[in-house]
PDB file of all heavy atoms in Angstrom:
ATOM      1  N   PHE A 215     -82.807-106.516 271.365  1.00  0.00           N
ATOM      2  CA  PHE A 215     -83.361-107.003 272.626  1.00  0.00           C
ATOM      3  C   PHE A 215     -82.729-106.262 273.803  1.00  0.00           C
ATOM      4  O   PHE A 215     -83.421-105.743 274.685  1.00  0.00           O
ATOM      5  CB  PHE A 215     -83.118-108.506 272.731  1.00  0.00           C
ATOM      6  CG  PHE A 215     -83.782-109.169 273.910  1.00  0.00           C
ATOM      7  CD1 PHE A 215     -85.037-109.735 273.780  1.00  0.00           C
ATOM      8  CD2 PHE A 215     -83.152-109.229 275.137  1.00  0.00           C
ATOM      9  CE1 PHE A 215     -85.656-110.340 274.871  1.00  0.00           C
ATOM     10  CE2 PHE A 215     -83.753-109.827 276.225  1.00  0.00           C
ATOM     11  CZ  PHE A 215     -85.007-110.386 276.090  1.00  0.00           C
ATOM     12  N   VAL A 216     -81.407-106.192 273.818  1.00  0.00           N
ATOM     13  CA  VAL A 216     -80.709-105.559 274.939  1.00  0.00           C
ATOM     14  C   VAL A 216     -80.843-104.034 274.876  1.00  0.00           C
ATOM     15  O   VAL A 216     -80.945-103.371 275.914  1.00  0.00           O
ATOM     16  CB  VAL A 216     -79.229-105.982 274.939  1.00  0.00           C
ATOM     17  CG1 VAL A 216     -78.499-105.397 276.135  1.00  0.00           C
ATOM     18  CG2 VAL A 216     -79.111-107.496 274.968  1.00  0.00           C
ATOM     19  N   LEU A 217     -80.862-103.471 273.672  1.00  0.00           N
ATOM     20  CA  LEU A 217     -81.009-102.024 273.533  1.00  0.00           C
ATOM     21  C   LEU A 217     -82.352-101.545 274.073  1.00  0.00           C
ATOM     22  O   LEU A 217     -82.432-100.517 274.765  1.00  0.00           O
ATOM     23  CB  LEU A 217     -80.855-101.617 272.067  1.00  0.00           C
ATOM     24  CG  LEU A 217     -81.005-100.121 271.766  1.00  0.00           C
ATOM     25  CD1 LEU A 217     -79.913 -99.322 272.469  1.00  0.00           C
ATOM     26  CD2 LEU A 217     -80.983 -99.862 270.265  1.00  0.00           C
ATOM     27  N   LEU A 218     -83.429-102.280 273.786  1.00  0.00           N
ATOM     28  CA  LEU A 218     -84.742-101.900 274.302  1.00  0.00           C
ATOM     29  C   LEU A 218     -84.776-102.000 275.820  1.00  0.00           C
ATOM     30  O   LEU A 218     -85.393-101.158 276.496  1.00  0.00           O
ATOM     31  CB  LEU A 218     -85.823-102.786 273.681  1.00  0.00           C
ATOM     32  CG  LEU A 218     -86.123-102.530 272.201  1.00  0.00           C
ATOM     33  CD1 LEU A 218     -87.141-103.519 271.672  1.00  0.00           C
ATOM     34  CD2 LEU A 218     -86.626-101.107 271.999  1.00  0.00           C
ATOM     35  N   LEU A 219     -84.106-103.012 276.364  1.00  0.00           N
ATOM     36  CA  LEU A 219     -84.033-103.108 277.821  1.00  0.00           C
ATOM     37  C   LEU A 219     -83.300-101.903 278.412  1.00  0.00           C
ATOM     38  O   LEU A 219     -83.693-101.373 279.453  1.00  0.00           O
ATOM     39  CB  LEU A 219     -83.324-104.405 278.226  1.00  0.00           C
ATOM     40  CG  LEU A 219     -84.174-105.675 278.256  1.00  0.00           C
ATOM     41  CD1 LEU A 219     -83.306-106.878 278.581  1.00  0.00           C
ATOM     42  CD2 LEU A 219     -85.307-105.550 279.276  1.00  0.00           C
ATOM     43  N   SER A 220     -82.232-101.471 277.750  1.00  0.00           N
ATOM     44  CA  SER A 220     -81.499-100.303 278.246  1.00  0.00           C
ATOM     45  C   SER A 220     -82.350 -99.032 278.135  1.00  0.00           C
ATOM     46  O   SER A 220     -82.265 -98.146 278.998  1.00  0.00           O
ATOM     47  CB  SER A 220     -80.191-100.143 277.467  1.00  0.00           C
ATOM     48  OG  SER A 220     -80.442 -99.829 276.105  1.00  0.00           O
ATOM     49  N   LEU A 221     -83.177 -98.935 277.114  1.00  0.00           N
ATOM     50  CA  LEU A 221     -84.074 -97.778 276.990  1.00  0.00           C
ATOM     51  C   LEU A 221     -85.144 -97.805 278.076  1.00  0.00           C
ATOM     52  O   LEU A 221     -85.497 -96.744 278.637  1.00  0.00           O
ATOM     53  CB  LEU A 221     -84.711 -97.753 275.602  1.00  0.00           C
ATOM     54  CG  LEU A 221     -83.761 -97.493 274.425  1.00  0.00           C
ATOM     55  CD1 LEU A 221     -84.512 -97.568 273.106  1.00  0.00           C
ATOM     56  CD2 LEU A 221     -83.070 -96.144 274.572  1.00  0.00           C
ATOM     57  N   TYR A 222     -85.682 -98.996 278.373  1.00  0.00           N
ATOM     58  CA  TYR A 222     -86.637 -99.099 279.473  1.00  0.00           C
ATOM     59  C   TYR A 222     -85.974 -98.710 280.797  1.00  0.00           C
ATOM     60  O   TYR A 222     -86.608 -98.083 281.648  1.00  0.00           O
ATOM     61  CB  TYR A 222     -87.179-100.524 279.573  1.00  0.00           C
ATOM     62  CG  TYR A 222     -87.933-100.986 278.351  1.00  0.00           C
ATOM     63  CD1 TYR A 222     -88.112-102.341 278.080  1.00  0.00           C
ATOM     64  CD2 TYR A 222     -88.488-100.072 277.466  1.00  0.00           C
ATOM     65  CE1 TYR A 222     -88.798-102.779 276.968  1.00  0.00           C
ATOM     66  CE2 TYR A 222     -89.176-100.478 276.339  1.00  0.00           C
ATOM     67  CZ  TYR A 222     -89.336-101.847 276.096  1.00  0.00           C
ATOM     68  OH  TYR A 222     -90.006-102.278 274.984  1.00  0.00           O
ATOM     69  N   LEU A 223     -84.719 -99.094 280.948  1.00  0.00           N
ATOM     70  CA  LEU A 223     -83.990 -98.741 282.161  1.00  0.00           C
ATOM     71  C   LEU A 223     -83.792 -97.241 282.266  1.00  0.00           C
ATOM     72  O   LEU A 223     -83.927 -96.652 283.347  1.00  0.00           O
ATOM     73  CB  LEU A 223     -82.645 -99.471 282.184  1.00  0.00           C
ATOM     74  CG  LEU A 223     -81.713 -99.165 283.348  1.00  0.00           C
ATOM     75  CD1 LEU A 223     -82.338 -99.608 284.663  1.00  0.00           C
ATOM     76  CD2 LEU A 223     -80.372 -99.854 283.149  1.00  0.00           C
ATOM     77  N   GLN A 224     -83.462 -96.603 281.150  1.00  0.00           N
ATOM     78  CA  GLN A 224     -83.237 -95.164 281.155  1.00  0.00           C
ATOM     79  C   GLN A 224     -84.496 -94.401 281.552  1.00  0.00           C
ATOM     80  O   GLN A 224     -84.428 -93.354 282.216  1.00  0.00           O
ATOM     81  CB  GLN A 224     -82.750 -94.712 279.776  1.00  0.00           C
ATOM     82  CG  GLN A 224     -82.523 -93.219 279.633  1.00  0.00           C
ATOM     83  CD  GLN A 224     -81.476 -92.692 280.618  1.00  0.00           C
ATOM     84  OE1 GLN A 224     -80.574 -93.414 281.021  1.00  0.00           O
ATOM     85  NE2 GLN A 224     -81.600 -91.430 280.994  1.00  0.00           N
ATOM     86  N   GLU A 225     -85.663 -94.915 281.178  1.00  0.00           N
ATOM     87  CA  GLU A 225     -86.915 -94.260 281.547  1.00  0.00           C
ATOM     88  C   GLU A 225     -87.133 -94.264 283.056  1.00  0.00           C
ATOM     89  O   GLU A 225     -87.834 -93.393 283.576  1.00  0.00           O
ATOM     90  CB  GLU A 225     -88.098 -94.966 280.866  1.00  0.00           C
ATOM     91  CG  GLU A 225     -88.205 -94.732 279.383  1.00  0.00           C
ATOM     92  CD  GLU A 225     -89.421 -95.398 278.801  1.00  0.00           C
ATOM     93  OE1 GLU A 225     -90.189 -96.016 279.597  1.00  0.00           O
ATOM     94  OE2 GLU A 225     -89.631 -95.309 277.583  1.00  0.00           O
ATOM     95  N   ASN A 226     -86.543 -95.234 283.741  1.00  0.00           N
ATOM     96  CA  ASN A 226     -86.827 -95.418 285.164  1.00  0.00           C
ATOM     97  C   ASN A 226     -85.687 -94.972 286.071  1.00  0.00           C
ATOM     98  O   ASN A 226     -85.761 -95.191 287.284  1.00  0.00           O
ATOM     99  CB  ASN A 226     -87.132 -96.893 285.435  1.00  0.00           C
ATOM    100  CG  ASN A 226     -88.439 -97.327 284.822  1.00  0.00           C
ATOM    101  OD1 ASN A 226     -89.511 -97.036 285.339  1.00  0.00           O
ATOM    102  ND2 ASN A 226     -88.364 -98.025 283.702  1.00  0.00           N
ATOM    103  N   ILE A 227     -84.625 -94.400 285.519  1.00  0.00           N
ATOM    104  CA  ILE A 227     -83.565 -93.907 286.378  1.00  0.00           C
ATOM    105  C   ILE A 227     -83.352 -92.408 286.184  1.00  0.00           C
ATOM    106  O   ILE A 227     -82.482 -91.856 286.827  1.00  0.00           O
ATOM    107  CB  ILE A 227     -82.244 -94.670 286.105  1.00  0.00           C
ATOM    108  CG1 ILE A 227     -81.806 -94.535 284.648  1.00  0.00           C
ATOM    109  CG2 ILE A 227     -82.361 -96.119 286.485  1.00  0.00           C
ATOM    110  CD1 ILE A 227     -80.465 -95.166 284.364  1.00  0.00           C
TER     111      ILE A 227
END
Side-chain angles (χ1 to χ4, degrees):
F215 187 93
V216 183
L217 179 63
L218 289 176
L219 277 176
S220 66
L221 293 177
Y222 298 159
L223 177 64
Q224 178 60 29
E225 288 183 2
N226 291 283
I227 58 175

